[in-house]
């Protein structure tokens, strides 16, 4: 059984910062790409940032220069440092990971953490 558990969401004023964490646990033989998606009310889920098991990263245009994704492979954890937050960043943030477990490769999702940015 694999679990992804997010933490670090909350309420912050515009211009503030938050750091999200997501730890993968369970029987994991290999962990590949990890990433963060978000979904605002009435909108589709969108990719925020992704990172390979190396150092390659990818960001949505709307967060470039403000958000930074990183990972700690020893802890099977991915982070999202969010600076200069804007009200339009308000959403539920989900982490995802491509990994190999007992049942072979699959994409796993966390339960989501709410980020609310007030103006």
């Amino acid at each position: 059984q694999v679990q992804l558990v997010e933490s670090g969401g909350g309420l912050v004023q515009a211009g503030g910062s938050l750091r999200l964490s997501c730890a993968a646990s369970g029987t994991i033989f290999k962990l590949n790409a990890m990433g963060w998606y978000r979904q605002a009310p009435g909108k589709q889920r969108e990719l925020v940032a992704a990172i390979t098991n190396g150092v390659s990263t990818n960001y949505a245009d709307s967060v470039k220069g403000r958000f930074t994704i990183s990972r700690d492979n020893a802890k099977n954890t991915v982070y999202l440092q969010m600076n200069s937050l804007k009200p339009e960043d308000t959403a539920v943030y989900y982490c995802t990971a491509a990994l190999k477990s007992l049942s072979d490769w699959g994409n796993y999702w966390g339960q989501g953490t709410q980020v609310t940015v007030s103006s």
Side-chain angles (χ1 to χ4, degrees):
Q1 185 93 11
V2 173
Q3 281 190 319
L4 272 62
V5 179
E6 300 113 333
S7 61
L11 174 64
V12 64
Q13 287 189 331
S17 298
L18 283 173
R19 188 190 194 212
L20 304 183
S21 300
C22 173
S25 63
T27 304
I28 300 172
F29 295 120
K30 188 171 178 63
L31 187 57
N32 202 348
M34 303 183 79
W36 291 93
Y37 282 72
R38 68 186 180 188
Q39 187 166 20
K43 295 189 177 181
Q44 289 188 329
R45 190 174 296 190
E46 62 174 358
L47 175 67
V48 176
I51 184 167
T52 66
N53 56 6
V55 295
S56 295
T57 58
N58 183 39
Y59 295 94
D61 288 342
S62 59
V63 306
K64 283 181 181 177
R66 300 188 297 122
F67 291 10
T68 302
I69 190 170
S70 61
R71 63 191 285 170
D72 183 336
N73 290 329
K75 296 181 179 179
N76 288 342
T77 298
V78 63
Y79 306 96
L80 185 68
Q81 178 66 44
M82 305 185 293
N83 298 328
S84 301
L85 282 160
K86 304 175 181 180
E88 51 263 44
D89 294 318
T90 296
V92 178
Y93 284 70
Y94 300 89
C95 75
T96 183
L99 59 88
K100 184 173 183 179
S101 183
L102 291 173
S103 58
D104 211 347
W105 285 98
N107 290 315
Y108 293 81
W109 292 84
Q111 80 286 355
T113 185
Q114 177 70 46
V115 171
T116 302
V117 184
S118 63
S119 57

